Amino acid sequence: MTSYMNKLLTALTVAALSLPLSAAAATFTLSASQTDQSWMSSPGNFEIGRFSLQSNVGDIISLNSSVTLIDQGWGGENPDNGVSVRLFAGETSIYTLHVAGANHSWKTDTYSLASNAADFAGINAALDNADWGAGVTVRMYTNAWGYPGWELHTRNSSLDMTTGVIAVPEPSSYAMLLGGLTLLGGAAWRRRDKTTT
């Protein structure tokens, strides 16, 4: 009987490990033709757009942006006068990626999360610890300083993001596993019944 139970447990383990998983990647795309900010009319953070994430998101697999921008201001070029992508739980920013810095002449900045290992680890750690009950979003912002004379202009801003989804067995897999367990249980019951008579 022990040999039969070992075979049964082995069969159940193999069946459970071979359940087909329903996993998919979700892709988000955001674009804006232009933003224009100045210290007089619209300083500070300006939201270009956002993505709302579902609670079954595993990781942010890729995040790529491209922004053409110019910073017109007195003094040096301050990188804070630029574009960022931020992870929010509710209305609390829990991680920030600086994706484009300002420049006194038009330039195009590109950013790839895959090329920034520290950012990849950081944003996914923040995502793992996010308060999903508050709602989790990814938002793209421009940030023009509120100092006299400062302006920030962007053209052709784009953000592409792909998230992995936590794999869940398909319902038909559960049905097949239950059917198999029923057959194995029936066979064990019949075998036990034959050995006792």
Side-chain angles (χ1 to χ4, degrees):
M1 185 80 161
T2 344
S3 168
Y4 181 74
M5 288 306 288
N6 286 340
K7 288 179 184 176
L8 179 62
L9 287 174
T10 303
L12 290 175
T13 303
V14 169
L17 292 175
S18 63
L19 285 174
L21 298 178
S22 173
T27 302
F28 304 87
T29 303
L30 173 70
S31 63
S33 58
Q34 71 180 54
T35 64
D36 295 296
Q37 291 178 270
S38 73
W39 68 280
M40 289 176 52
S41 61
S42 55
N45 291 303
F46 173 78
E47 184 179 327
I48 296 174
R50 69 174 67 186
F51 310 128
S52 293
L53 303 181
Q54 302 298 318
S55 60
N56 63 342
V57 167
D59 280 328
I60 295 175
I61 299 168
S62 72
L63 186 145
N64 301 296
S65 70
S66 176
V67 181
T68 301
L69 72 164
I70 187 171
D71 153 4
Q72 297 171 329
W74 299 336
E77 299 164 2
N78 191 305
D80 292 332
N81 202 37
V83 180
S84 63
V85 173
R86 302 175 193 175
L87 180 65
F88 277 79
E91 291 304 313
T92 304
S93 177
I94 57 176
Y95 199 84
T96 300
L97 302 170
H98 185 75
V99 298
N103 190 23
H104 288 334
S105 58
W106 284 103
K107 71 171 182 169
T108 299
D109 278 353
T110 58
Y111 176 88
S112 172
L113 187 63
S115 301
N116 294 278
D119 283 343
F120 184 87
I123 198 167
N124 282 305
L127 186 63
D128 290 342
N129 296 313
D131 176 9
W132 287 93
V136 176
T137 55
V138 174
R139 306 177 192 180
M140 189 174 197
Y141 285 93
T142 60
N143 179 30
W145 276 33
Y147 295 132
W150 283 86
E151 295 181 18
L152 180 66
H153 306 279
T154 67
R155 302 291 181 266
N156 305 318
S157 302
S158 68
L159 175 64
D160 297 305
M161 184 179 75
T162 303
T163 61
V165 177
I166 297 171
V168 177
E170 296 175 4
S172 61
S173 300
Y174 284 121
M176 287 188 332
L177 179 62
L178 183 60
L181 290 174
T182 303
L183 287 173
L184 286 171
W189 180 75
R190 285 180 58 134
R191 177 177 269 194
R192 186 189 62 144
D193 207 29
K194 283 183 182 179
T195 57
T196 57
T197 51

